[in-house]
Amino acid sequence: MNADDVLVFSAGALRGHRLRTGLSLLGVGIGVCAVVLLTSLGEGARRYVTAEFASLGTNLLIVLPGKTETTGMAPVIGGVPHDLTVEDAEALERQVRQIRKLAPLSVGTAAAQFGERSREITIVGTTAAMLGVRRLRLQSGQYLPEGAERDRAVCVIGAKLQSELFPSRNPLGAMLRLGDERYRIIGVMAPRGMSMGMDMDEVVHIPVVRHLRMFNRRSLFRILVDAGSHDSIEPARTAILRVLTERHDDEEDVTVLTQDAVLSAFGRILGMLTAALTGIAAISLSVAGIGIMNVMLVSVSERTREIGLLKALGASRGQVLAMFLVEAAIIATAGGVAGLGVAFVATRAFAVVYPAFPIDPPAWAVVAALGVSVSVGIVFGALPARRAARLDPVAALTRR
Amino acid sequence: MIELRGITRDFDVGGRPVHAVRGVDLTIEPGDHLSIMGPSGSGKSTLLHIIGCLDRPSAGTYRLGGQDVTHLDERALSRIRGRKIGFVFQFYHLVPRMTAAQNVELPMVFAGVERVERRQRVARALASVGLSERVAHRPDQLSGGERQRVAIARAIVLDPEVLLADEPTGNLDTTSGREVVELLEAMNAGGLTLLVVTHDPAIAMRARRQTRMVDGRLEGGSQA
């Protein structure tokens, strides 16, 4: 018996029971489709978040006040973290040679008013370096000034604010009231969207010293550091910690996050998510496998007389086994391919509706889904096929 | 050449032994035409299954074509069933989804016959039962007599040693039944060994040798 004879026979048997075949195909198809779609979503979420962080700037370190981990017994004196000040930022810039660029960051909310229009907005206090550190781009005008002029009362507004506050005129040169002070608009940011939990298009940038004064603060929210190259991230981190500990009375009361650490943490979380989704999908695949087994068992008992006949005509146990296994494998493969097709169409449709979300199904998931569905078919087809192969020909033939 | 010596077949039915065949001795020469008559439950079908290598005797020896097949394994038995034995059943046992030609081809598929040879043999076998016109018909498009002729074509397609017919006319009207019997006899006249199991005396009487089976024992016919 050749392989193609087995195939022809099994395919013929499946064609003879269209409804049953169709339903088992559906089961496997849904299983495979679920695997591919869910892993696509998981992977897409991971890539989306990764891309989001990468857009912050690749060799970024983030310095924030306070220590995130507890360190045993509380010190007798002190214990309250020191402020992270503008002077700290300046010291870092002077003393840590791995720092290519450094931008202090202070964030607060205040009322912005232009003419009759007024609204609450997020105000960011920083320096000219922010442009490079965060890879921001200007739509028009210029960013915050450097050097001697850096504390002037000027501001740069986000793209959305421009369209909301200045729908019909060029905002450059206009005076914007922020809190109690008036700032001259010198630039408009290019649209950027959400980043670091803020809508960058609705933010006003002002010089950091003015910002701290406006909100009556001493401490910065963050210091963003561009380490220049990937290799200098760790040395920069160590140096920053050393300098700040020295400045803060030998107390290590700041935290330095590297983007790598943040990314890998998110990567781990989202990897877990993908794994969980894959697990759920795998369950649906094995349910499909049990469906195949069920259908094949029914098929074997319905075709008992046929099996008896095949044996009387000279079919060996191995041949009967092969024919039923191939039936199960055909269902699993065809169902798998159909499921892939549906999943492909669904991901295309998703990509059209949400273009920002990278939903391409990962290659491993496609290969694994197909591979698993075929092996599910064979594994769950094995029991019915063995039952068929072991049927006693006399008993099978004479059954009514 | 079929040689049965002391063939016994016991079944265990609900804990009680049932002796279906009790010590049967039988020799069938090549080209012979033998009938086994007997009421239901006399053990004639069991004997036929043993001769057809579908079942094994509990005791005794069975030699087919000079080969002792009593203790062959399942694999070897299936090869013998395919190559040396042709079965014709009362209920035809055609695969309903297959055409006449595909049904006739089946034994050759299992025996691993080349595709070209298969096609030639299918055509020859169907021609020999007068069904060359019905090659592409499925069983439900054929009459009872035609179905049984397809089954005969399938039984002889690999030139077996012996053709075993179990109530071949049991499900047919008189005319079709006579046609089928005449066909079987024509094949026997061509040299094929024929063994017919039936409880229809009219059919049994046509055989060259007639035997009766009663209570698992064979009577008559041993003189030949």
Side-chain angles (χ1 to χ4, degrees):
Chain A
M1 200 172 186
N2 305 324
D4 51 341
D5 287 328
V6 179
L7 213 60
V8 167
F9 185 92
S10 303
L14 290 174
R15 267 201 303 276
H17 302 274
R18 285 170 200 274
L19 179 66
R20 202 161 65 195
T21 306
L23 287 177
S24 3
L25 282 179
L26 188 68
V28 179
I30 289 172
V32 169
C33 190
V35 169
V36 174
L37 282 185
L38 291 178
T39 50
S40 298
L41 285 175
E43 271 298 295
R46 200 178 62 75
R47 272 190 281 169
Y48 180 75
V49 171
T50 308
E52 194 69 359
F53 272 88
S55 75
L56 291 179
T58 33
N59 302 310
L60 196 68
L61 291 102
I62 302 165
V63 184
L64 51 150
K67 198 82 186 116
T68 50
E69 60 218 66
T70 45
T71 50
M73 214 196 294
V76 182
I77 317 165
V80 180
H82 289 73
D83 293 332
L84 190 62
T85 60
V86 175
E87 290 72 35
D88 286 336
E90 284 166 352
L92 288 177
E93 199 156 21
R94 275 196 312 274
Q95 295 176 29
V96 181
R97 59 181 172 77
Q98 289 92 346
I99 291 178
R100 197 170 69 89
K101 275 187 184 138
L102 173 149
L105 178 65
S106 179
V107 180
T109 308
Q113 194 185 340
F114 174 76
E116 298 296 297
R117 296 166 193 270
S118 164
R119 58 168 292 186
E120 284 285 304
I121 51 161
T122 305
I123 304 176
V124 161
T126 184
T127 63
M130 181 60 95
L131 202 61
V133 171
R134 288 289 306 275
R135 309 200 169 172
L136 301 173
R137 279 203 316 281
L138 283 165
Q139 184 173 293
S140 61
Q142 60 188 62
Y143 198 62
L144 298 176
E146 288 181 270
E149 309 216 299
R150 66 180 189 172
D151 294 338
R152 279 175 49 203
V154 293
C155 70
V156 180
I157 64 175
K160 201 161 166 187
L161 283 178
Q162 184 211 350
S163 55
E164 282 181 8
L165 292 174
F166 305 93
S168 54
R169 59 159 288 188
N170 182 0
L172 294 184
M175 298 302 282
L176 183 67
R177 177 171 283 280
L178 299 170
D180 299 331
E181 294 179 274
R182 279 152 51 85
Y183 287 78
R184 183 175 299 282
I185 298 172
I186 58 169
V188 179
M189 304 304 297
R192 174 67 177 264
M194 290 298 291
S195 179
M196 274 180 108
M198 297 184 260
D199 186 347
M200 294 305 283
D201 298 342
E202 293 196 23
V203 163
V204 172
H205 303 240
I206 63 171
V208 63
V209 174
R210 285 187 167 270
H211 189 280
L212 290 175
R213 203 188 304 143
M214 180 188 291
F215 291 97
N216 193 23
R217 288 186 194 151
R218 266 183 54 73
S219 184
L220 294 169
F221 176 60
R222 300 279 188 269
I223 299 174
L224 305 183
V225 175
D226 184 350
S229 75
H230 190 266
D231 291 337
S232 52
I233 288 177
E234 262 322 293
R237 193 177 116 90
T238 319
I240 288 167
L241 276 176
R242 180 173 42 75
V243 170
L244 289 181
T245 304
E246 217 168 83
R247 288 178 56 86
H248 292 182
D249 304 333
D250 283 338
E251 221 178 295
E252 196 181 307
D253 58 0
V254 296
T255 302
V256 182
L257 296 177
T258 61
Q259 200 187 357
D260 272 4
V262 176
L263 260 185
S264 70
F266 268 97
R268 268 200 308 280
I269 293 165
L270 291 161
M272 291 290 289
L273 177 75
T274 306
L277 290 175
T278 311
I280 293 167
I283 291 170
S284 75
L285 249 190
S286 53
V287 168
I290 292 168
I292 289 183
M293 180 158 72
N294 205 6
V295 160
M296 294 301 295
L297 281 174
V298 169
S299 173
V300 168
S301 70
E302 245 179 40
R303 284 157 64 194
T304 299
R305 277 182 2 141
E306 177 187 324
I307 295 163
L309 168 76
L310 301 182
K311 291 196 157 187
L313 296 181
S316 66
R317 277 187 186 174
Q319 287 170 335
V320 174
L321 186 81
M323 289 187 293
F324 277 84
L325 269 186
V326 167
E327 267 186 46
I330 289 176
I331 291 178
T333 312
V337 170
L340 277 188
V342 173
F344 182 79
V345 171
T347 52
R348 289 300 101 203
F350 191 93
V352 169
V353 180
Y354 302 100
F357 193 87
I359 188 141
D360 285 320
W364 64 264
V366 172
V367 173
L370 255 191
V372 168
S373 72
V374 171
S375 22
V376 155
I378 289 170
V379 167
F380 286 95
L383 177 75
R386 258 165 56 106
R387 179 168 291 186
R390 289 178 171 210
L391 276 178
D392 173 33
V394 173
L397 264 176
T398 52
R399 210 176 87 150
R400 295 283 146 82
Chain B
M1 176 87 153
I2 290 169
E3 298 165 275
L4 303 178
R5 291 294 168 262
I7 293 293
T8 299
R9 181 69 171 103
D10 303 324
F11 294 103
D12 190 65
V13 179
R16 255 189 314 170
V18 172
H19 308 290
V21 178
R22 311 171 187 230
V24 165
D25 296 319
L26 181 65
T27 305
I28 307 174
E29 299 290 339
D32 204 351
H33 179 184
L34 181 88
S35 67
I36 303 178
M37 269 234 297
S40 333
S42 61
K44 56 188 194 313
S45 286
T46 304
L47 186 63
L48 190 82
H49 291 146
I50 290 174
I51 295 174
C53 292
L54 284 171
D55 200 0
R56 285 177 222 245
S58 311
T61 56
Y62 171 20
R63 296 172 69 81
L64 176 66
Q67 183 190 12
D68 187 344
V69 298
T70 324
H71 303 292
L72 290 181
D73 64 7
E74 179 61 35
R75 196 182 173 76
L77 283 181
S78 62
R79 200 169 305 138
I80 287 175
R81 288 197 290 265
R83 287 274 183 185
K84 299 194 169 173
I85 313 251
F87 284 102
V88 176
F89 305 97
Q90 178 178 358
F91 298 104
Y92 329 125
H93 278 307
L94 300 177
V95 181
R97 59 174 181 277
M98 294 185 165
T99 64
Q102 287 170 328
N103 268 291
V104 174
E105 191 183 9
L106 262 184
M108 297 189 284
V109 170
F110 300 131
V113 176
E114 284 303 314
R115 203 150 283 192
V116 182
E117 193 189 338
R118 276 192 229 163
R119 211 168 303 137
Q120 293 164 351
R121 279 177 177 266
V122 166
R124 222 182 306 145
L126 281 170
S128 73
V129 299
L131 284 179
S132 295
E133 313 289 301
R134 304 296 228 173
V135 172
H137 288 61
R138 283 201 311 273
D140 56 4
Q141 299 164 319
L142 298 170
S143 73
E146 286 172 326
R147 290 184 206 179
Q148 196 60 303
R149 275 145 68 193
V150 172
I152 293 171
R154 181 179 64 190
I156 55 125
V157 74
L158 273 172
D159 297 325
E161 296 242 335
V162 59
L163 187 61
L164 305 176
D166 191 357
E167 302 280 10
T169 59
N171 220 29
L172 297 175
D173 60 67
T174 325
T175 319
S176 314
R178 200 181 56 240
E179 281 172 18
V180 163
V181 170
E182 280 166 4
L183 184 58
L184 290 173
E185 285 169 356
M187 301 212 157
N188 174 243
L192 181 66
T193 314
L194 177 62
L195 173 58
V196 180
V197 167
T198 180
H199 53 246
D200 181 352
I203 306 276
M205 297 308 272
R206 299 176 68 122
R208 195 175 309 141
R209 275 171 71 198
Q210 294 132 29
T211 61
R212 263 189 83 76
M213 196 138 182
V214 177
D215 277 346
R217 291 200 173 80
L218 205 58
E219 302 168 349
S222 49
Q223 68 276 5

